[in-house]
Each structure stands twice: as C-alpha cells, then as structure tokens.
Amino acid sequence: MGSAVAPGLPSCESPSFFGRLGASKRVLSYSDCHSPLFPGDQDLLLAAAYVSDAQYNRNVPFETAPQAVRLYYFYNHWTMQAATYFFICVDLSLALFEEPALFPLPLLATSIAEVLCLTAFFGRLVHFAKVTPQMVFWKDTKNICIMVTIVLTLVDLILYGSLDAVNIRSIRWSRPLRPVFLINFPESRQIRRAFRSIRNTLPDILYVFLLFTFSMLVFSLMALKLFGDRRVHSWQFLHCLPRSNTPRVMPAYDFNWWYSLYFITYVIINTYIFMSVFLAVVYNNYRKHLKNEIRKLAYLKRHKMIEAFNILKVKVGPEFVVEEAQWRRLVRTVAPDMSSGHLELLLRISDEGQTGHVDKMNFLRLADLLNIQVVTINIKRHPLEAWVPRVYQSSASLLVQKVVRHRIFVWVFDVIILINAIFIALDEKNPFVSYAEWLFLSLYVIEILLKLYTYEPRAYFGRKQFWNWFDTLIIITALVATVANTTIQSARKYNSQQILDIVLILRILRLLRVIVTVQRFRVIVTTLINIGPTMLTFGGLVFVVYYAFAIVGMEAFHGKVQFFDPNFTTPDALVCGNPALKGSAFSRGRYCKNNFNDLASSFVVLMELTVVNHVLLLADGFALVTHQAAKLYFILFHIVVVILIVNIFIAFILEAFFVAYSLEKSEVETAIEKKIQELGVGIQEEEVQDGKPTDHVDTKDHGDNKRKALEGLYCRIASKKYRTVDALLQWMFESEIAPEDEGPSLDEILNFSPSDMYPKNPNFENSA
Amino acid sequence: MGSAVAPGLPSCESPSFFGRLGASKRVLSYSDCHSPLFPGDQDLLLAAAYVSDAQYNRNVPFETAPQAVRLYYFYNHWTMQAATYFFICVDLSLALFEEPALFPLPLLATSIAEVLCLTAFFGRLVHFAKVTPQMVFWKDTKNICIMVTIVLTLVDLILYGSLDAVNIRSIRWSRPLRPVFLINFPESRQIRRAFRSIRNTLPDILYVFLLFTFSMLVFSLMALKLFGDRRVHSWQFLHCLPRSNTPRVMPAYDFNWWYSLYFITYVIINTYIFMSVFLAVVYNNYRKHLKNEIRKLAYLKRHKMIEAFNILKVKVGPEFVVEEAQWRRLVRTVAPDMSSGHLELLLRISDEGQTGHVDKMNFLRLADLLNIQVVTINIKRHPLEAWVPRVYQSSASLLVQKVVRHRIFVWVFDVIILINAIFIALDEKNPFVSYAEWLFLSLYVIEILLKLYTYEPRAYFGRKQFWNWFDTLIIITALVATVANTTIQSARKYNSQQILDIVLILRILRLLRVIVTVQRFRVIVTTLINIGPTMLTFGGLVFVVYYAFAIVGMEAFHGKVQFFDPNFTTPDALVCGNPALKGSAFSRGRYCKNNFNDLASSFVVLMELTVVNHVLLLADGFALVTHQAAKLYFILFHIVVVILIVNIFIAFILEAFFVAYSLEKSEVETAIEKKIQELGVGIQEEEVQDGKPTDHVDTKDHGDNKRKALEGLYCRIASKKYRTVDALLQWMFESEIAPEDEGPSLDEILNFSPSDMYPKNPNFENSA
C-alpha cells in the first residue's frame, strides 16, 4: 500500500458533508487530513472500509474496489506523482532556456513546453477534483491558487507571444509565479508548512521590524546630524542590517573615537538585541504553531482509528470488539508483505488474553504497532565456525576475536585515523607520504577483515549498520581508485586529477569515523542527521524564494553587468562592462561575476547574498547601473531570507535540540515497545546501535510459552524512527491523552488554534 | 534596614554548624544564603531574632543588638560597600597610569596605590571573617580566591620592584588577575552568576566546539588540497568563524564556481548550523541552571520564613501562631517608615478573621506582602477646580478636558512628532526649518499645559509616571537650550555646537514617545526596559573579560603599531610605524589606530573585535609585527566573547522574551494581590499604567465595613516589580509549591542539582 501522501490539512476545513456521503466516499474525505507521520492510520481506515465491504457483500471478490477508490489509488500512484514532479521540474527549468538564457531556445519551443506543463497540471487538478468531494475541493485555497496561476500564465503567454509577433518586447511577468505549482501540489506539504510558519510569524515580526526600523532611523538621523559633515553617509548605517555587518564603516574610527563608540552601541542594539528579539518572536511562533499542528494531527489520528473501529466492530459480550479474522484480514490488506511471524507477534500484543478478538483500546494502537519496524534477526553462527569449527574455536582465534571486540581496538584505529589526517595535510609529492597512504589503506583493510572474522558477516552488513557499510564502501572505493591511479600512472606516466580528488575526499571522509566512537559527539551528530531530511525542506523553501527573486532580478538587471576573463584587461573588463561602475567598490572588488545574466548566475549571487555580507555593496553597484530603486530589491531579499528564513531555520534547529535534550535522560519507550520487551523477543536497541551486533539476546525467561510460538523471530524495534522532532512531540502528546479519551469532535479538532492551547496560568516547567 | 546584599550561595555549603551556635549567630549564618530578589525574607529572619530577644529579656532595650549583629550591620553598611567599590575602581584604573600608560605616573606612586588597595581588600576580608562562622568562611572559594590574588599581587609587586631597581625590565604578570576582586567581592553576585553560567556551559559546549573544529579542519584540508594550488590559503577559512564571515574570500569566486558552492556549503554548515547548535546548548544550560537556582532560592526563602515563624511562635489553641503585637513589632522593625494605614492593611490581609494572631500560612507570606509596593493615592480634586470652580466646570473647559482625554488627542501629537522627524532630517540652515522647530516646540509646550490643565498635576507627576516626566523634562530642556542658543547667537553671532547637539539629541529622543502609544510596541519595549538592568550585568562580565585581555594585549603588543595623524604622510605613517606591516591588509585598511598602546585603545580595539568582523585581519596584522602565536590571542578572544558570552547574552534575551510571551495572556496576580482587590482598596494597574491616572476607583461595595477602617488609603500594587525574568520564574515556582509544603531540608536545598529537576518522562508542554 504505497505511501499515499494526501493533500494537506486546509482541505479538511469542512467536515459537514461526512454524514451525507457513502462509506467509501467518507473514507476518502478523510484522506485529505492524512498525517504524514503515521501513514498507517490513513491506510488502515481505507482498509477497514474494504474489509467491511467485503464482509457485507460476500459474493463480491475482496479485490474489487469501488470506482472512486480505484481512482483515488490511481491518483496516489507513484507514477502519477513522479509525472507531476517531472512536469514541475520542466516548468521551473524553462527559465534556463528563456531569455536571458543559459542555453537559448526559440520562444516557440519554450512556449509549447510551458503549455504542455500547464495541461498536465490542469489534468492533475481535474483528477484530484474527481476523488475529492466538491465542497472540499472548492474550499481549498491550494486548488484555487493553481487554477489562478494556470490562467495567469496562459494570459501572459498569449500576450507576450502576440506582442513578440509584432516585435514589441514586453515582460514575462507570470514567471515568478511558477514556484506556486511546486508549493501547492499536495506533495510539498513540508514546504507549505514552512510557508505557513512564515505567514503566522509575519504579524508579530512586523511590529519588531517596525521598532527595528525606527531604532535604525533614529540612529541614522543622529549620525547624519552629528557626523554628517564628517564624511559619513547614513546609508552606510544600513550596513549593520542584522548579520551583514561589515568593517567598511570602521575606518571612520581613524578620525573619531566618539563615532566609534556610537557605532558600537548601534551594533549592539540593532544587531545583537534586535536579532535576539527577532529570534525570540520567530521561535515562539514556530513552537506555538508546531505544537498546535501536532495536537491536531494526534487527535485526527485517534479520530480516524475510532472511525475504523466503528466500521469493523462486532458486539461480543458487553463490549464492542473486532474479531481476530477481521483483524488479520485488515492487517494483511494494509501490509501485504508482512511476515507471518511478525503478524503473529502483533496479534499476540493486540490480543493479549488470546480471546480471539481485539478490543477497542488495543485496536486504536494498531497504527503505532504497524509503524514499529520489526527486524527479524536470525542469530546464526559465524560461517567459519560452521566450516572449520576447530580452527575458529582455537585459543589463538578466540584471542583475536577478543582483541577485536575490545574497546581498545576501536581506539587504536581512531588514533590511526588521526595520524592519517596529519599525513593528508602533508605534501603528497613526498614519496614517503604516498607509501604511508598505502600503509594506512592496508591497515583499514585488515581492520575490516578482522571484524568480518569476528562478527557474523550478515549481521555486520545488517540493514541498519550504516557505519559498517560506510566504512567498507569508503575503503573499497579508495582501494580501487588508488590501484587504478597507480596503474594509469605506471602505464601513462601521469596522475589522473579526478581520481586523485576522489581518493582525497574518501580519505577525508574516513575521518568522520572518529566522531562516531565518542558518545557525546554521537548525540549531536545523530540529532543533526535526524533533522537532515527536514533541513532539506528549508532547501525547498529557499529554492522557491530564490527562484522568484532570480526571475525578478533577471528581468531587472539582465545584461547590466558583464563578466570578463580576469586575464582580459581592457578598460571594459575593469568596470564590468558598464561605465557607470567606474571607480565603484563593486568593480574595484572584482564583483563582476555577481550578475543576473542567467538563472545559474542569479542563483549563485542570491546564495552568496544569503551567506556573506556584501548585500549593500551589490545594492550600491546595481543601483549605479540601473536606478536607486534597485536597492529595494536587495534590502527586501535580505529581510525575507536573512531575517525570516534564517531565523525560522535557527528556530527549527533549536527546537530539534531542545527536544533531543529533554529526551536525553528519559526513555523513549511506548507501551507497545514495552510489551515486545515483555514477550522476550526484543533485542536492546543499545546493543545493536554500537555498530556491532552482539550475540547476546535478552533471554529472560518470563513468557517462555509465548516465545515458543514466535521462535526464530527476534524483534529489533527501530525506535530511531521516533527521533524526529515531529514524531517525538506527537509521541509525547499521545502518551498524555488517556487511552479511553476519544478527543474532541472533528469540527473542534480542525479549528484548533494555537492560542487556546496554553493554560491560563503558565507553570514553572513550561514557562521558558 | 539597609539593602543588606549578602555573600553568594556557595558559602552556605555547610549548614551543619547551625545547631551549635546561638540564635543570632544562627541567623547570621543564613545571611550568606540571602536571596537578592526578595530582600524582605532575610531582614525578617534577623528581625524575628531581635523581637524574640527583646521578648525574653524585657529589661534589655530593644535597640541593643549583640556585638556580632552590630558588626554584621556595619559590614553591610553602605559606606563600607562604597569604600570597597572605590578601592576596586582605584585598583582597576591603575592600568591607566602604569606602563604602557595613558597618563604616566612613576612606578612608586602606582605601587603605593596598589598596596593601599590590597590592604583595604584584606581588611574587608578580615571583617567578613569576623561576621561569618569560620567553617563557612574557609570553605568559600571566593575568599580563598581573594587571598591568593592578594598574595600573588604582592609577590609580583616585590619581584617587579626589585628587578626594576636593578634596571631589569620584567612583566607585571599579576595584573590580569585584578578583576578577581571585582568578581569575588560579595557585591557582584550577578557577574558571578554569569560566570557560573559560563562555567556550567563549558563541558557541553566543549564537545560542540570540538566537533566544530573538526568540521572546520575537514573543510580546510579539503580546500587546501582541492584549491590549494589556486591561491586560496586555508587560514582564510577561519574567516568563517561564527559571526565573523567576511567577503574577503569571495573574490576567489571570480575564477571558480565550484569553489563558490563549496564555500557556501561551508558557511551554511559552520556558521548557521553550528552557531544554532552552540546557541541551543548554551540556552539549554542557561535555562536549566537558572531554574535550579530559582528553585533553590524559593525553597531557601520558605525555609527562612519557617525559621522566623518558629522563633516567634506561640501556641494558641491547637496550633502555633504569632501574636498580633509580636507581628506588629516585627513589621515595624523591618520597615520602620511604613505608614500606619499600610501596616493596618497588611494586618487585615494576614489576620483575615481578626482573631488577634497570625497563623503560619499567613506568616509565611509576610515577605511577599512586604515586597508589594503599596502606593497611597489620594484622589484629590484639581487645584483649579478648588480655586475657580465655576471656570473649571464651565462647558468650554469641560470640552477642552474631554478633547485632551480623547484618544485622538494622543494620535494628533504622534503625527506631529512624526512630521517633526522629517523636519529633523532636513537641512537646519534653511530658516523655514528653524522656524518650524519653534512651532513644534510651542506645540509640545501647549500639549503639556493642556494635560496639566486636565489631569491633577500631582497625579500627572506621580512616582511611576515615567513617560510624563520624560516628556516634560525633554521639552523644558529643549526649550531652555533653544532659548540659550538663540541668545548666544544674537549676542555673539555664532552657534554653540554643544548646545545644538544637545537640542538635536533631545529632539530625536522625543520620537521615542510615538512608540509608547502603540500597545504592541509597548510589550517589546517594556520587556527590553525590564531586562535593561540585568543586561548591565553582561556589561560587567564583558568588562572583566576585556580588562584581562587588554592587559595581556598591552604586554604583548604594546608599541608594535603606531598611529600617526592622517595628514602626516611619511612612509612610517603608511605602515603604522612598523616596516613589517608594509603592504599588509592591516596598514592598507588604515587600521593603525587599532593598537594596544594604552588601556583605552585596547578597550576600543576589543570592543570593535566584538561587534565587527575584522578579527582575522587584526590577527594577521599583529602576527606580522610580533609572532605567529599572536593569532592565538585573537582567536581565543573571539571564542570567549563571541561564542560564549554573546550566546549567553542571546540566551538571556530569549528567556526574557519567552517568559514575557508565556505570561502575556495570563494574569500575574498572587493571592495577596487578589486579597487587596477583594478588600476594595486596589486600583487596577491598567488604569494607571496608561500614563494618565483616572479618577475612577474600584468601588465595589463588598467589604465596606473593612474599607471604612482603611479610608483614604488606596493601594496601587506595583506588580511591575514582578516583571523581571527571575522574579517571574520565582513567582511561578512558588505558586506551584503547596502553601503547607515545608520543602526539603536545608541540606537538600543547598545540594539541588539541575539534573534531578527534570521529570523522567518530559511532557508535551515543557518539552520544547
């Protein structure tokens, strides 16, 4: 059952139609409210409807789904999603081929491509309309957005095309709207969420920003009056926009100490204090809305599970339950490729008393149960032990194994890696250094061989043994590359620079290994790796902002600044091909390559503006070649990216670390995980996490009869799955709702607002 | 009873002597654990001992305190504290007069001054030892620190003096230790706390720092190898130390796009991500230790109050109580200048049933009660109404009053101020502009007169009406200065630049008024003003760090770089008087004034290094004139100030805002404040906060008989007092301890650790 990522929450705004539609239609309407964290619950509700249908119409084959459901599945099929993404990519990359182009194509070609894309988007939208109740569809701003953008783009295309036909050059003003397709298609939930974050934060940040502007104006006014006749221009004070302070104003210090003190006060107030206030406001909003969203998701999930239970429930004795057969059919439907051992385990957990049916409480936990990744570990003997038992068990062999398992073995290789690092820094032309590299390589190979000798190879290369894979791949690649290079060198007497570069990067990557052996480092690295995927969301967000700004920049500044080869020293090259830049800091600093002449250049310029601080230098430069208003473009970009996005990014990282720290000492263990441990089939996560699965298995004897049935199956709970901020928060929230709490009504859930979440009187713990 | 700020917490480590000492000695021992937030409780305990002594020995006059207590009061007397601060200032300012001096004095003079200071410090220490139990004194690291520093300084002085006598120049190595006196004398509790913050954070931050260094090394290594032969030096990568990124590496972008992308990745990882992680770690620690400290203080306070109760308690019926007479005597002792109406009010609150005694629960709240500032507001009629009632009550007069009270009146003046701002920016030589300034001034004067006409003048200039005072003072000063300037101008035909500058600053300050009228701005401004005093703590911290670095810098770099007048264009001036700097970025950028030739210059250089980003430029420059090791000095400074102190500063501001936000919607109202409201003698804070106290008073009729007794006294609760982070957190924590909870034992309280505060399973609310 594919990863049916369904449209975002906003489309759930009107749940009133639920009563009026049929069962499968009702189920589909839920799909809009799908939680991406626990894909299980969505599919479970759908599957429950299936199972229920199959039950009532016993003559209908189980596989025959209603038309709407099939259409829905087709909509969510990966090919359709891939096609959508393909067309989005094509549409966005058109900017590479349109004037000002990196690879020029005739207008006709790009226009046809764009129309094709628009058709595809429209088709996708129609398909979505088919599987969504009308009311929901039309109430969803996303759909309206897409439609409006399609219409606008068509209008623009026709206008531009007809004007071009009569040789009038106009502006393709609809191009900055293209990222709308990327944002508003259901698949980009995370980017939309980041945008929501920004939108929610705007009102609050606006006030701080006004205050900040006011403070800056007061300072500028004062500077203008007090130092105005002493060569300092008030525009220079904008240099101190947060995170863009430059030393350019400081030489003024040469002539006046008071000015220097004044400037320092200015920086402290406007950079440190206001930047902190910005961060506080952004973080506060981020946290508030994140928690609200998570609360919403958690209650929705519970609601859906209750709905699924209601579809399947049967009255047995005093209470409603789901029969074992139904339950099995349901799980089989949701997870067709689950091993039967795994299924038995889940049943054992859900139906503890082996009563032949699953009660409501246990049924509600099914989504969580399905989300627990159970890895079957077969504790097998080492192949060598099977082949040559006498040799493998000899005292020398056992000593080797003991040495390899010892902590010092790891440390020794850490030291070797560090020594290796020093050698990397040395000059590689020295023959001694290149021989040493061979020595290091062989040491690493020996290390891997020894480990393979000691540990069971299939366990060593287990699915979750990331660092073992990493190690081995790096060493093998380095070995192959070094050998290849030596061969080429001896045959053709020259070094291949590419291969050498690869070898070098591999060598440096090897250093990463040292980090993982230190526990304290691992916490930080793990958190960073866990939030890695979400950090990519910010990549998407930044891409959207960059794209819009790049298109606008290309329209405004295209061709104004030219880059010449540095060896080319005509007067034109010195002023970046524009006489207006003569003597400016822009041309003196050789910033000519910072131009908007094509999409790639524009992106690089915007990226630079984000991370380094010459925003005002460029603003000055481009204001010279076009108009003073050009400065606005750069200031606006700085505000959007540096004040808003960077702060949200920091807020996100802070939140991730705070959650990680608050969980550091507590045990992340749900009731379900506990039960698996109780059944005696769990392997402690820690033992495996070390990168070296040991043979030791939790063999406490309680529940021995139960274990018999599950012989051969050892479950490793992939509890790392919970270690993303969202999932952790959701887990925490769920563990706080009482199991019998059915939560508020769907209407209420969908209208949760962040402000009614906080208690009237905040308490000491959560206050700060 | 003066503000007896007593030594910090560490001296409370051994409470075991309590049992063995007498009552007053016991009380004194507590004084070390004094909470600076609620000065009441300390004095209360002392006063309880007094009152109790007076009770048992009726023939001893009440005022005769035991010798130890008198010595203790003398120790805490403001003259002694002022003297200590004076000597600390003298000691620290010696650096101005010692070589390399700003104002050179002979060695003998500075040595004598230093010995004098040391004697004073020693005397203060001896005095402290007299009033502190021996065990506590010797266990306190502060005292040991001071003693060791005194001895080291003396040794250094003698060594340096004798070497100087035989003309051997050595180093005064003890000088960087001088801030020890500032930190370790009991009066600098806040600075010590910030230092504790740093110390607590160090272990955690060390790991992040190692990881950061590692990541930087990997990037540098890669850059060295990949771009090394293309003119990029790996040292340049240090340019990207957090918050110090410069565009200096970017011109390299001219020749390689890959390099540019590589550089951007580097900045994103090492600046944004690592800086956020640093902030997360620092903030997490800051919060943890802050809460622990506050928990400690809250329990200590309760402990002291219980102790005081136990001293005074009398058994009445089934329970212990404090008699009304004793209670009155106690309050009179603690607050001799309290009005009798105020005292009656407190008694009414504490002894609600008018039973003639105060029970334990109410007694424990006494410190809080005393901390509530009760302002007696006499609702008087306007003087004009008393003098010329008919005129003042005429319809025209009433209309004027109505207009002035109207919201639009405020808005009109806000608009006028904004128009004024535009005029300030215009050229003041234009006669039209200077006439306009007269117009504005008269408008402001009219505004103040109108307000004084409408509001009761004594209420308008009430104690808490900050903005009214601000307004009036600024306008009057501006009026006087403008008139004075005009007089001078017409008499002597020239403008006094000083007066013009003052007038200008006053005019700009007037703009601040606009902010206060917008509610949303006020929240931010109020929070910033509230944390202002604590921000000064960071000033102290930074001063200490600067001082130590400045002294070291002066020893190392003194005279290496010279500053010449900019008009002086000898070759020496171009290279800052040091040929080693020829052609360096340091001399090219005219950084010659960035030298360590005296204390003032050093401070300015270090301040600049904090706020602007030429740390590596200076490091390079000073490495040229001295030794490569000089770079270490600058890097170390950057790490200490920018990574540690700036992050703690940001953490502090974040915390302040989070507390402010979490309280925004809740009502900060303690049980006591509620009771005052119940008694019907409270004026709502909001009504007064507006800057315009209204005549409306809460006249709900419940408790009318009680009110009769308190006639004429209206209490405004200075609830703003609670609006500092510490006080707010303590208030929150106290409201969570049950009133009957006696808290853990003193031993436990003093050994609270931040780690045992967090619950095993963090909950959703406080997790992040």
Side-chain angles (χ1 to χ4, degrees), chain A residues 367-521:
Chain A
D368 299 329
L369 269 181
L370 288 172
N371 268 314
I372 292 176
Q373 209 181 338
V374 175
V375 182
T376 315
I377 298 171
N378 295 306
I379 309 296
K380 288 177 187 154
R381 285 200 296 178
H382 198 284
L384 283 178
E385 201 178 349
W387 298 338
V388 277
R390 201 177 296 166
V391 178
Y392 196 74
Q393 296 288 358
S394 70
S395 60
S397 164
L398 284 179
L399 182 70
V400 168
Q401 291 173 38
K402 201 177 164 189
V403 166
V404 173
R405 278 179 216 275
H406 202 276
R407 209 126 254 278
I408 290 175
F409 183 77
V410 180
W411 293 345
V412 165
F413 271 91
D414 284 352
V415 171
I416 291 175
I417 289 172
L418 289 177
I419 296 170
N420 193 179
I422 298 165
F423 273 83
I424 294 173
L426 295 176
D427 187 10
E428 58 198 296
K429 262 138 209 151
N430 185 333
F432 174 67
V433 174
S434 74
Y435 286 134
E437 188 46 41
W438 278 107
L439 174 70
F440 285 120
L441 249 184
S442 36
L443 277 175
Y444 296 138
V445 172
I446 289 170
E447 186 202 4
I448 291 177
L449 290 179
L450 279 176
K451 280 187 178 171
L452 282 179
Y453 180 78
T454 310
Y455 303 115
E456 211 279 320
R458 276 160 295 182
Y460 186 74
F461 290 118
R463 272 218 289 173
K464 291 268 163 180
Q465 305 303 324
F466 174 74
W467 288 106
N468 293 344
W469 281 101
F470 177 84
D471 250 22
T472 316
L473 275 180
I474 278 194
I475 298 301
I476 290 177
T477 322
L479 201 63
V480 170
T482 314
V483 169
N485 188 47
T486 317
T487 323
I488 293 171
Q489 200 181 9
S490 55
R492 304 218 222 142
K493 303 283 175 214
Y494 88 107
N495 284 314
S496 159
Q497 189 59 44
Q498 276 84 11
I499 292 182
L500 279 184
D501 281 357
I502 291 169
V503 171
L504 173 85
I505 290 169
L506 289 174
R507 267 187 233 158
I508 290 172
L509 282 179
R510 231 179 278 156
L511 301 184
L512 285 182
R513 263 255 324 262
V514 186
I515 295 170
V516 197
T517 50
V518 182
Q519 175 62 35
R520 294 295 285 261
F521 286 160

Side-chain angles (χ1 to χ4, degrees), chain A residues 139-431:
Chain A
K139 275 209 168 179
D140 192 343
T141 37
K142 286 197 306 292
N143 304 327
I144 310 293
C145 264
I146 293 175
M147 270 184 281
V148 169
T149 313
I150 290 176
V151 171
L152 285 180
T153 310
L154 280 176
V155 169
D156 182 32
L157 256 182
I158 293 165
L159 270 179
Y160 186 85
S162 39
L163 284 173
D164 190 73
V166 294
N167 276 323
I168 299 173
R169 191 164 151 52
S170 65
I171 290 173
R172 279 294 314 277
W173 46 263
S174 73
R175 296 200 300 161
L177 294 177
R178 279 178 193 160
V180 166
F181 298 117
L182 177 61
I183 301 169
N184 282 309
F185 270 110
E187 287 73 19
S188 336
R189 150 186 304 278
Q190 291 290 329
I191 298 180
R192 268 205 307 286
R193 185 166 163 189
F195 263 103
R196 256 203 313 279
S197 256
I198 292 184
R199 205 186 51 210
N200 291 330
T201 312
L202 273 185
D204 275 339
I205 210 146
L206 186 72
Y207 282 96
V208 187
F209 192 75
L210 283 178
L211 214 56
F212 172 66
T213 317
F214 180 80
S215 142
M216 218 148 71
L217 278 179
V218 167
F219 268 94
S220 300
L221 256 180
M222 244 183 218
L224 182 74
K225 289 289 166 175
L226 294 180
F227 310 108
D229 38 9
R230 293 161 215 166
R231 281 190 295 144
V232 183
H233 193 282
S234 90
W235 166 251
Q236 283 199 320
F237 268 85
L238 281 170
H239 277 277
C240 313
L241 273 176
R243 298 187 206 283
S244 85
N245 53 332
T246 70
R248 275 184 63 213
V249 242
M250 285 318 286
Y253 156 66
D254 256 10
F255 54 84
N256 193 339
W257 268 19
W258 288 114
Y259 174 75
S260 176
L261 282 178
Y262 175 79
F263 175 74
I264 287 166
T265 318
Y266 175 81
V267 170
I268 288 174
I269 291 180
N270 286 332
T271 306
Y272 290 126
I273 296 184
F274 268 102
M275 215 52 215
S276 307
V277 177
F278 275 126
L279 183 59
V281 171
V282 168
Y283 177 72
N284 196 52
N285 265 282
Y286 177 83
R287 182 173 57 167
K288 215 162 66 180
H289 287 97
L290 176 71
K291 285 198 172 171
N292 186 47
E293 213 155 301
I294 276 161
R295 200 170 53 133
K296 219 174 202 168
L297 287 178
Y299 274 125
L300 267 178
K301 178 182 157 198
R302 170 140 315 180
H303 205 93
K304 277 186 268 179
M305 290 309 297
I306 291 172
E307 195 84 357
F309 178 77
N310 288 338
I311 291 174
L312 296 177
K313 69 184 175 187
V314 168
K315 191 150 190 172
V316 170
E319 60 177 354
F320 286 103
V321 293
V322 172
E323 282 172 2
E324 196 181 303
Q326 286 285 70
W327 188 93
R328 275 177 195 277
R329 209 178 291 158
L330 179 69
V331 175
R332 276 264 163 263
T333 316
V334 183
D337 44 354
M338 182 186 276
S339 75
S340 62
H342 187 171
L343 192 135
E344 286 307 319
L345 174 71
L346 295 189
L347 183 62
R348 193 63 45 88
I349 292 166
S350 294
D351 178 19
E352 219 177 334
Q354 303 203 331
T355 52
H357 45 70
V358 176
D359 64 6
K360 189 170 178 179
M361 290 254 284
N362 280 306
F363 185 84
L364 296 190
R365 290 196 317 208
L366 185 55
D368 299 329
L369 269 181
L370 288 172
N371 268 314
I372 292 176
Q373 209 181 338
V374 175
V375 182
T376 315
I377 298 171
N378 295 306
I379 309 296
K380 288 177 187 154
R381 285 200 296 178
H382 198 284
L384 283 178
E385 201 178 349
W387 298 338
V388 277
R390 201 177 296 166
V391 178
Y392 196 74
Q393 296 288 358
S394 70
S395 60
S397 164
L398 284 179
L399 182 70
V400 168
Q401 291 173 38
K402 201 177 164 189
V403 166
V404 173
R405 278 179 216 275
H406 202 276
R407 209 126 254 278
I408 290 175
F409 183 77
V410 180
W411 293 345
V412 165
F413 271 91
D414 284 352
V415 171
I416 291 175
I417 289 172
L418 289 177
I419 296 170
N420 193 179
I422 298 165
F423 273 83
I424 294 173
L426 295 176
D427 187 10
E428 58 198 296
K429 262 138 209 151
N430 185 333

Side-chain angles (χ1 to χ4, degrees), chain A residues 510-548:
Chain A
R510 231 179 278 156
L511 301 184
L512 285 182
R513 263 255 324 262
V514 186
I515 295 170
V516 197
T517 50
V518 182
Q519 175 62 35
R520 294 295 285 261
F521 286 160
R522 205 154 48 190
V523 173
I524 301 166
V525 173
T526 310
T527 310
L528 282 178
I529 289 175
N530 278 334
I531 61 177
T534 323
M535 274 202 253
L536 290 182
T537 308
F538 284 89
L541 178 72
V542 167
F543 174 80
V544 167
V545 174
Y546 277 10
Y547 191 88

Side-chain angles (χ1 to χ4, degrees), chain B residues 324 327-328 331 338 340-359 362 365-366 369 671-672 675-681 702-711 713 715:
Chain B
E324 196 182 302
W327 187 91
R328 274 176 197 276
V331 175
M338 182 185 277
S340 63
H342 188 171
L343 193 136
E344 286 309 315
L345 174 73
L346 296 189
L347 183 60
R348 193 65 45 89
I349 294 166
S350 294
D351 180 17
E352 219 177 336
Q354 303 203 327
T355 51
H357 45 72
V358 176
D359 64 5
N362 279 305
R365 290 196 318 208
L366 184 55
L369 269 181
I672 299 138
K675 199 151 276 173
I676 290 179
Q677 295 294 336
E678 271 172 31
L679 287 174
V681 290
H702 60 85
D704 220 357
N705 57 333
K706 281 178 191 165
R707 255 189 84 186
K708 221 166 184 177
L710 305 164
E711 201 70 75
L713 180 83
C715 309

Side-chain angles (χ1 to χ4, degrees), chain B residues 54-124:
Chain B
Q55 187 184 20
Y56 288 122
N57 320 306
R58 299 247 176 226
N59 50 345
V60 175
F62 183 66
E63 284 69 26
T64 315
Q67 154 103 39
V69 174
R70 258 187 296 148
L71 212 57
Y72 173 77
Y73 268 94
F74 186 51
Y75 179 80
N76 279 321
H77 198 265
W78 71 267
T79 50
M80 291 305 281
Q81 294 190 357
T84 311
Y85 276 115
F86 171 75
F87 281 112
I88 290 173
C89 286
V90 169
D91 192 43
L92 288 176
S93 60
L94 279 178
L96 286 170
F97 307 103
E98 292 163 341
E99 275 307 315
L102 198 60
F103 316 104
L105 277 185
L107 176 65
L108 195 66
T110 59
S111 303
I112 288 172
E114 185 148 23
V115 170
L116 261 179
C117 291
L118 293 180
T119 318
F121 299 148
F122 188 69
R124 180 87 177 147

Side-chain angles (χ1 to χ4, degrees), chain B residues 290-306:
Chain B
L290 176 71
K291 285 196 172 174
N292 186 48
E293 212 155 303
I294 276 160
R295 200 170 53 133
K296 220 175 204 168
L297 286 179
Y299 274 124
L300 266 179
K301 178 183 156 196
R302 171 143 313 185
H303 206 91
K304 277 186 268 176
M305 290 309 297
I306 290 173

Side-chain angles (χ1 to χ4, degrees), chain B residues 443-668:
Chain B
L443 278 175
Y444 296 139
V445 171
I446 289 169
E447 186 203 3
I448 289 178
L449 290 180
L450 278 176
K451 281 187 177 170
L452 282 180
Y453 180 77
T454 310
Y455 303 116
E456 213 279 319
R458 275 159 295 182
Y460 186 74
F461 290 119
R463 273 217 291 172
K464 291 267 164 180
Q465 305 303 325
F466 174 73
W467 288 106
N468 293 346
W469 281 101
F470 178 82
D471 249 24
T472 316
L473 275 180
I474 279 195
I475 297 303
I476 290 177
T477 322
L479 200 65
V480 169
T482 314
V483 169
N485 186 48
T486 316
T487 322
I488 292 170
Q489 202 180 7
S490 55
R492 303 217 223 145
K493 303 284 174 211
Y494 88 106
N495 285 315
S496 158
Q497 190 59 44
Q498 276 83 9
I499 291 181
L500 280 184
D501 282 357
I502 290 169
V503 171
L504 175 87
I505 290 169
L506 289 174
R507 267 186 233 160
I508 291 172
L509 282 179
R510 232 179 277 158
L511 301 184
L512 287 181
R513 264 258 321 263
V514 186
I515 296 171
V516 197
T517 50
V518 183
Q519 175 61 35
R520 295 294 285 260
F521 285 159
R522 204 153 51 188
V523 173
I524 301 166
V525 173
T526 310
T527 310
L528 284 178
I529 289 176
N530 279 334
I531 61 177
T534 323
M535 273 202 250
L536 289 183
T537 308
F538 284 89
L541 178 72
V542 167
F543 174 80
V544 167
V545 174
Y546 277 10
Y547 192 88
F549 269 95
I551 297 276
V552 172
M554 274 154 65
E555 294 287 1
F557 308 122
H558 157 232
K560 302 287 182 190
V561 168
Q562 242 110 47
F563 172 68
F564 293 86
D565 196 85
N567 306 320
F568 198 73
T569 49
T570 60
D572 251 16
L574 286 177
V575 295
C576 306
N578 197 319
L581 286 174
K582 199 172 174 184
S584 68
F586 187 89
S587 55
R588 264 190 286 121
R590 294 190 296 146
Y591 286 93
C592 305
K593 214 167 185 175
N594 290 277
N595 59 45
F596 289 87
N597 296 350
D598 55 61
L599 194 67
S601 297
S602 310
F603 262 75
V604 174
V605 172
L606 295 177
M607 265 192 248
E608 276 190 49
L609 284 179
T610 311
V611 294
V612 287
N613 49 23
H614 45 227
V615 54
L616 287 151
L617 194 145
L618 290 199
D620 277 334
F622 280 98
L624 283 175
V625 295
T626 53
H627 188 265
Q628 286 295 316
K631 286 178 179 179
L632 272 182
Y633 171 85
F634 290 93
I635 300 290
L636 190 69
F637 177 78
H638 193 82
I639 291 169
V640 170
V641 173
V642 177
I643 295 188
L644 274 175
I645 296 185
V646 166
N647 272 323
I648 290 180
F649 182 68
I650 293 177
F652 162 74
I653 295 182
L654 286 183
E655 180 75 6
F657 272 86
F658 292 159
V659 172
Y661 280 124
S662 77
L663 283 170
E664 215 178 21
K665 278 168 200 156
S666 76
E667 290 152 23
V668 183

